[in-house]
Amino acid sequence: MLTKVLYIDLSRYRYSVEDRRDLFEEWIGGTGVAVQLLKENMNPEIDPFDEESTIVFAVGPLNAAYPLASKTVAMFKSPLTLNIGESHAGGRTATSIANAGYGAIVITGKSKKPVYIVVNNDKVYFRDARVIWGIEDSLIVARIIAENEKGRGTRSVMRIGGAGERLVRYACVTTETYRHFGRLGLGAVLGSKNVKALVVNGRGSRKIVDRKAYREVYDEIFNLATESDAMKKYHLLGTAVNVKPLNEKKGLPVTNLKFTSSEYAEELSGESFAEIIGRRIACSHCPVACIHIAALRLPYENEPYFYKTLMLSYDYELIYALGTMLGMKRKEDFLKLLYRVEAYGLDAMTTGVCLAWATEALEKGLISEKDTIVKLEFGNSEAYCEAVKYLIHQPNEFYRILAQGVERASEVYGGKEFALAFGKNEMPGYHTGYAAHIGYLIGLRHSHLDNAGYSADQKMDSYPEPEQLVEKLMKEEQWRQVLSSLVVCFFARGVYKPDIVCRALRPVGMEIEEDELVERGKKIYFEKLRLKKAMGFNARELRVPERIFETETPHGKLNKDYIERAIEYFAGIVENC
Amino acid sequence: MTKIKRLVIKDIEKCVGCGMCMYACSRRKGEAGIDGSGILAVSLSGFERGATVIFCRACTEPPCAQVCPTGAMRAREGGGVIYHETECIGCGNCIEACTINAIFRRSNGKPAVCVHCGYCANYCPHGVLAYEEIEPEEFSRVVV
């Protein structure tokens, strides 16, 4: 079992390691343990940029032991929502942390000067980052650090770009070029601590209790991952396969959700992007290789016969947020914007929703071109590329406010009815029905991945009473606490069913029965909910943007009363937990 | 020269950097992780430029065996090495001697080297690795 916790104190440039078997036995790992470590190490009422604000990275018992267990959970207080920040990233993050021998890394304090942290197996180093502070392209930052540090192939370089340095409240942390701790602003929290990057290099192993059983259950999982249909969607076109069916069903948000289908959906579909796939890449220890990379070949502006080729990873959420939501007409336009957003290290989903709101606010005259500097209009990629630069440099009051998210921007400038944030987190790409929207509202991270309401919508012909729908979504979210404590990729939820999870845990030293496992997920869920309350969450204050009632869904137009009843029911659960 | 079965590259350009091979190698030794792995998956200056795997290319005159002071690392007939851990003092000479950096240091200081057992090839999902009997001169062939 991975039970060691590495504590890094940036204020004193010290570190220590503790064996926290107690935590890992009770709370499994990942999300379960991260909630406890955050509770232990941070006052929940603190400002996310305060010196005492804490970041936890946690892995679990299946990481580096089984395929598809490739995720790390980051937990912190979100500067975007001022509530729980939790985001998951793959790449080599999880295997590097696990192979370095840690179950979790806790980062506290604040460095006086810019540093990057290097965890090299059992040692921690604080490196001078003054020279690389100010490099806004996160890819360049990573290349420089990779030249300086050991561990080619066994390290993860988790870094921020210009967005994190400038405290954009939805700055992400990028790792292995194409993976992100994307949502809720972890990049800004690292930036506030003067940390440009966290490098973790791990090259160890851990002992197996029963070699034979280990190989057997490993092979079973491997075969399910490679031969069954469980991972097929991700292995073939990837999540971008969703564009066409959602467009046909009228569940695809287009131009700030004024519409739910677009004549350009075909151009922005998974099938269309497949024509320009340059290569595929995998997270460490995952045979699926779901990372689809488009090759964008662009001529030099002023010289004939010179080309550069940008390699950009895309998936459904990015196509939605920076594509359909902004009325993009051509995939090249979308990719050019994506390139900017990636380089600066912004969360693509929040950025897209913010820009979509700003475009409509400009159309309606709530803001002027004096505010936006460039004329934002749906489909105008160049203008959006400029605007992204302004989000980083914040040359005026408008961009300083838009860098705080769409909730804040609409508080200042109006247009709340079309400011598409739920629990202050910008909307994901599904306008599929009640379950999606209620899911965003009641999900503890306000993410579509909390409870997959979008999936429930697509499986239901008619809806139960709102209270029952809330129960259904909560049940899914509770099971997902188990998955994110192990920590396996949510894409592998079709492989990691309770039975196989229990059998996989035994050889790595954890005996647990199926019922108990499910119960553990419920316990973790309520621990997280209580932490959310301690950070000030009140379900009755949840705002529902009017726009979602105005636009057609695959289930027709939504009724406000149904969603209000769902919130009321959930508020009762929150109060009594 | 004797033909032996060995781990071969079928098409390196297909590598997605998943490292399934690395995990297989240590798993065969009863470990969960990569401490004992004699193969390494890497990106090529970042994943936007692709990925590759690094492992012993089964030299017929292996420099690593030549510099081993105890005979723990010995040249194998047909190419590559045989490694006896109990005779190894962990000096690291072999790691330094390998021109392609295909010998790795374990946490106990001793080397991890590919012995061409072929176990990892069973877990390469994308047709990069295979376990085949080939002529030594075929080993560096280009696949297009």
Side-chain angles (χ1 to χ4, degrees):
Chain A
M1 286 254 293
L2 289 166
T3 56
K4 283 197 288 184
V5 176
L6 171 63
Y7 295 87
I8 298 174
D9 178 354
L10 286 160
S11 296
R12 291 168 192 81
Y13 304 113
R14 285 201 307 218
Y15 68 97
S16 60
V17 178
E18 268 182 58
D19 192 329
R20 295 302 307 271
R21 183 166 287 275
D22 58 322
L23 284 185
F24 287 89
E25 279 179 352
E26 187 168 2
W27 303 103
I28 306 174
T31 298
V33 166
V35 168
Q36 301 302 320
L37 285 171
L38 206 60
K39 272 170 60 181
E40 285 179 9
N41 291 283
M42 186 173 86
N43 170 1
E45 290 169 4
I46 215 161
D47 183 88
F49 294 151
D50 191 285
E51 180 170 355
E52 299 307 317
S53 174
T54 297
I55 302 168
V56 180
F57 292 95
V59 296
L62 300 191
N63 293 110
Y66 292 98
L68 312 166
S70 51
K71 293 273 188 176
T72 301
V73 169
M75 203 172 280
F76 49 98
K77 187 161 182 182
S78 165
L80 180 67
T81 64
L82 302 182
N83 207 282
I84 283 189
E86 179 185 342
S87 58
H88 306 168
R92 284 196 209 108
T93 57
T95 51
S96 295
I97 294 170
N99 290 333
Y102 303 110
I105 299 174
V106 178
I107 299 176
T108 57
K110 177 179 179 170
S111 176
K112 286 170 214 64
K113 293 279 181 179
V115 290
Y116 68 91
I117 306 167
V118 176
V119 178
N120 191 7
N121 295 299
D122 54 347
K123 300 270 193 311
V124 177
Y125 305 90
F126 299 94
R127 305 270 204 240
D128 184 356
R130 286 175 300 172
V131 172
I132 56 173
W133 196 262
I135 297 179
E136 291 179 333
D137 185 334
S138 80
L139 190 59
I140 305 292
V141 173
R143 282 190 191 146
I144 293 167
I145 291 174
E147 291 283 328
N148 288 343
E149 301 299 334
K150 290 182 200 160
R152 188 179 178 218
T154 56
R155 68 184 169 207
S156 180
V157 182
M158 298 166 248
R159 71 278 185 171
I160 60 170
E165 284 188 19
R166 303 284 188 133
L167 307 182
V168 178
R169 285 168 188 257
Y170 40 95
C172 71
V173 172
T174 306
T175 183
E176 282 69 76
T177 312
Y178 298 118
R179 300 292 88 190
H180 314 84
F181 292 101
R183 309 225 67 194
L184 299 169
L186 179 62
V189 183
L190 270 185
S192 77
K193 295 185 173 304
N194 277 323
V195 174
K196 188 69 178 165
L198 167 67
V199 182
V200 180
N201 179 33
R203 223 212 116 85
S205 281
R206 50 200 204 271
K207 288 241 156 22
I208 288 304
V209 181
D210 180 343
R211 280 188 184 203
K212 187 165 170 282
Y214 175 47
R215 284 211 213 171
E216 278 170 9
V217 67
Y218 187 104
D219 287 347
E220 188 180 340
I221 292 166
F222 178 76
N223 291 335
L224 278 171
T226 52
E227 283 163 26
S228 76
D229 285 345
M231 303 299 295
K232 203 171 168 187
K233 169 177 168 184
Y234 308 104
H235 182 68
L236 297 176
L237 285 175
T239 56
V241 73
N242 290 339
V243 174
K244 269 166 71 167
L246 282 173
N247 184 59
E248 277 157 28
K249 289 179 203 156
K250 293 193 170 14
L252 176 72
V254 174
T255 54
N256 204 33
L257 196 58
K258 288 182 190 176
F259 309 99
T260 44
S261 63
S262 159
E263 59 183 302
Y264 305 108
E266 182 78 37
E267 164 72 11
L268 297 172
S269 68
E271 291 80 352
S272 168
F273 278 100
E275 293 165 8
I276 56 166
I277 291 178
R279 65 172 95 254
R280 295 276 292 271
I281 286 295
C283 290
S284 183
H285 210 174
C286 176
V288 178
C290 79
I291 308 167
H292 292 60
I293 300 170
L296 178 64
R297 186 167 172 262
L298 296 171
Y300 286 20
E301 294 80 3
N302 305 316
E303 280 186 288
Y305 307 111
F306 278 83
Y307 288 87
K308 58 182 180 182
T309 304
L310 305 177
M311 304 293 279
L312 295 156
S313 85
Y314 61 87
D315 68 20
Y316 173 71
E317 293 299 338
L318 306 185
I319 295 172
Y320 141 72
L322 301 175
T324 63
M325 196 67 161
L326 297 178
M328 294 293 189
K329 301 181 177 77
R330 300 186 320 142
K331 51 182 182 279
E332 288 77 12
D333 292 344
F334 154 76
L335 287 169
K336 282 182 193 168
L337 177 61
L338 175 61
Y339 175 67
R340 282 288 174 104
V341 168
E342 281 280 36
Y344 286 129
L346 285 162
D347 173 35
M349 290 162 73
T350 290
T351 303
V353 173
C354 284
L355 293 175
W357 170 85
T359 309
E360 190 169 342
L362 186 62
E363 278 176 356
K364 291 193 156 65
L366 298 175
I367 52 175
S368 71
E369 262 185 72
K370 216 177 134 208
D371 296 310
T372 59
I373 307 174
V374 282
K375 190 179 180 197
L376 300 176
E377 43 188 5
F378 291 117
N380 185 341
S381 180
E382 271 178 43
Y384 289 128
C385 285
E386 280 292 293
V388 164
K389 197 172 76 188
Y390 298 136
L391 278 175
I392 307 301
H393 298 150
Q394 298 159 36
N396 64 14
E397 185 64 10
F398 174 73
Y399 282 103
R400 274 192 289 282
I401 286 168
L402 197 58
Q404 295 177 41
V406 81
E407 186 77 24
R408 176 77 186 130
S410 63
E411 272 168 19
V412 175
Y413 295 100
K416 279 197 169 204
E417 60 282 9
F418 56 87
L420 291 158
F422 297 81
K424 299 180 189 163
N425 190 21
E426 284 72 10
M427 179 184 170
Y430 302 92
H431 185 54
T432 47
Y434 290 111
H437 289 293
I438 293 169
Y440 310 149
L441 288 161
I442 71 168
L444 303 193
R445 302 182 285 162
H446 307 290
S447 154
H448 62 301
L449 293 172
D450 283 329
N451 45 41
Y454 62 96
S455 169
D457 281 329
Q458 292 174 70
K459 287 174 190 152
M460 279 189 281
D461 293 327
S462 62
Y463 287 98
E465 292 300 308
E467 294 78 11
Q468 284 169 280
L469 185 60
V470 168
E471 287 291 342
K472 180 181 161 67
L473 292 168
M474 278 176 56
K475 197 173 168 207
E476 177 63 25
E477 186 161 350
Q478 287 163 6
W479 170 246
R480 288 182 176 217
Q481 304 313 299
V482 174
L483 298 178
S484 64
S485 297
L486 290 168
V487 177
V488 301
C489 179
F490 282 174
F491 289 174
R493 60 191 181 272
V495 171
Y496 285 99
K497 299 277 174 65
D499 155 61
I500 211 159
V501 170
C502 292
R503 283 187 292 119
L505 282 169
R506 237 162 268 146
V508 292
M510 192 169 185
E511 287 282 346
I512 190 164
E513 298 301 321
E514 280 182 48
D515 294 350
E516 171 57 20
L517 190 68
V518 171
E519 201 50 39
R520 211 68 76 89
K522 197 171 168 183
K523 265 179 69 184
I524 294 168
Y525 174 88
F526 280 109
E527 281 287 298
K528 197 155 107 183
L529 182 54
R530 282 189 282 272
L531 178 59
K532 198 171 167 64
K533 263 173 81 175
M535 288 182 179
F537 177 67
N538 180 352
R540 293 208 167 81
E541 289 171 1
L542 284 168
R543 180 182 71 84
V544 188
E546 282 298 315
R547 174 60 48 83
I548 71 163
F549 302 112
E550 296 163 4
T551 312
E552 205 76 28
T553 78
H555 292 274
K557 284 197 180 169
L558 302 180
N559 179 333
K560 210 170 180 176
D561 181 54
Y562 187 95
I563 291 187
E564 278 170 359
R565 272 177 62 196
I567 294 175
E568 186 52 36
Y569 179 70
F570 181 65
I573 292 168
V574 177
E575 265 169 21
N576 295 320
C577 83
Chain B
M1 187 166 285
T2 333
K3 276 211 265 185
I4 55 160
K5 269 189 121 177
R6 62 171 62 143
L7 184 66
V8 296
I9 297 280
K10 297 300 281 184
D11 186 351
I12 197 62
E13 292 300 325
K14 286 183 176 170
C15 184
V16 297
C18 65
M20 293 298 291
C21 50
M22 255 184 346
Y23 286 91
C25 188
S26 284
R27 189 165 64 256
R28 186 178 153 268
K29 297 171 177 134
E31 304 166 8
I34 54 169
D35 190 39
S37 299
I39 185 164
L40 179 70
V42 299
S43 71
L44 295 167
S45 304
F47 276 113
E48 73 277 22
R49 281 160 197 179
T52 194
V53 281
I54 301 170
F55 62 97
C56 167
R57 68 182 303 271
C59 311
T60 46
E61 284 183 42
C64 57
Q66 212 172 347
V67 298
C68 177
T70 65
M73 192 86 76
R74 292 173 217 159
R76 183 173 70 156
E77 199 183 339
V81 291
I82 299 165
Y83 171 64
H84 295 277
E85 199 188 336
T86 50
E87 291 169 43
C88 176
I89 56 170
C91 68
N93 285 357
C94 55
I95 297 169
E96 294 293 320
C98 179
T99 315
I100 60 167
N101 302 309
I103 305 182
F104 310 97
R105 195 183 284 277
R106 304 191 54 165
S107 52
N108 65 5
K110 295 188 178 187
V113 63
C114 172
V115 295
H116 292 268
C117 74
Y119 184 69
C120 62
N122 300 319
Y123 296 91
C124 176
H126 304 293
V128 179
L129 296 170
Y131 188 50
E132 288 178 354
E133 193 174 85
I134 60 159
E135 301 285 352
E137 61 269 24
E138 280 184 80
F139 197 68
S140 58
R141 72 194 189 284
V142 172
V143 182
V144 178

